[in-house]
Amino acid sequence: MAKSPLAGLKIGVIGSGNMGRALVRGLVEKSVYPQNISVFDVDKKKALETKKEVHVKIASSSRQCASLSDVVILAVKPPVLPQVAEEIATALTQDPLVISIAAGVPMAKIEACFKKPVPLVRAMPNLPALVGAGMSAFSLGRHALPKHRKIAEAVLQALGQAVQVPEKWLDLVTAVSGSGPAYYFLLTEKMIEAAYEMGMKVDVAKKLVYQTALGSGKVMAEYGEDPEELMARVASKGGTTEAALKVFQKQGFGKIVQDAVKAAYKRAQEISRGK
Ligand SMILES: NC(=O)c1ccc[n+]([C@@H]2O[C@H](COP(=O)([O-])OP(=O)(O)OC[C@H]3O[C@@H](n4cnc5c(N)ncnc54)[C@H](OP(=O)(O)O)[C@@H]3O)[C@@H](O)[C@H]2O)c1
């Protein structure tokens, strides 16, 4: 078996909220020794909860967390990211790889906080990372080498799947896969509401719709066919699915989805420009 790019590396995770915890959990599941992971969070309770779950080390400050690590993951909210980057800047003595998962903080802004060349990767994961089914896109900074790319990919694969893209695509990634889970949740909500209005109990409708979403996702992932082909597998001429799809089409569902994704993209671009 090939050696993991993460073998023997010390990994520091700053911010132990939803994403930080999911990363730590995923890394341990991917056979990173918990003793090789240190976590820091300003909210000590959150760091302790992570320690309780996966027995990682707790650092006493972001600087200590960074100075102990070959890979430093910044999993704090975007507004505090520059402050954390500046805090750890002088603690990065061994040229570690820094991975930021903060939405909408451009690489140039993060690099400027370090005031020296730092191998940096900017990544955009999504919520299904919580269950190891995330989709992350990542871009390499100016000082990141091929070895850093391999490490970043392996880190992000602890959350699910990962794909490298040019940084100029990351706002679009945010609009598609970053915000994307909420679009599926909206469709789910409306299907449950429709079933309820036609007389079904909510808990039964919820079970039907959730499992249908899960199963449809698995079919897409495993068959890899175009959505049109998959729809044809469900819809038969003059049947129920065709009747529903005609309503979607007639009422402009495609245009609504396109407009919604465009709105998310526009907002992601504004956030990246600091608006
Ligand atoms: N959630 C998502 O679906 C998602 C998707 C893609 C990307 N992201 C990105 O992932 C990052 C983390 O998101 P999240 O949902 O995990 O946020 P979160 O649950 O709020 O976790 C962030 C943690 O960082 C802590 N923190 C704040 N300031 C800190 C500091 N100076 N040093 C160390 N820790 C500090 C926070 O503590 P307090 O709560 O006490 O402030 C909190 O526990 C964000 O940048 C977000 O843009 C999230």
Side-chain angles (χ1 to χ4, degrees), residues 4-5 8 12 23 30 33 74 84-85 97 100 125-126 135 164 180 188 250 254 273:
S4 160
L23 254 168
K30 290 263 165 182
Y33 289 120
L74 304 177
V84 172
L97 167 64
S100 163
N126 69 2
M135 182 68 241
Q164 186 183 344
T188 298
K250 196 167 154 220
R273 285 189 223 110

Side-chain angles (χ1 to χ4, degrees), residues 13-22 40-44 46-47 61-62 74-81 83-85 87 100-105 123-130 135 174 177-179 181:
V13 182
I14 302 179
S16 193
N18 295 305
M19 285 292 152
R21 172 101 45 95
F40 174 70
D41 197 296
V42 280
D43 183 344
K44 280 191 187 142
K46 288 197 193 144
S61 66
S62 54
L74 304 177
V76 295
K77 289 279 190 201
V80 289
L81 186 101
Q83 175 209 322
V84 172
E87 263 167 34
S100 163
I101 63 163
V105 187
M124 183 63 203
N126 69 2
L127 190 74
L130 298 184
M135 182 68 241
T174 305
S177 55
S179 301

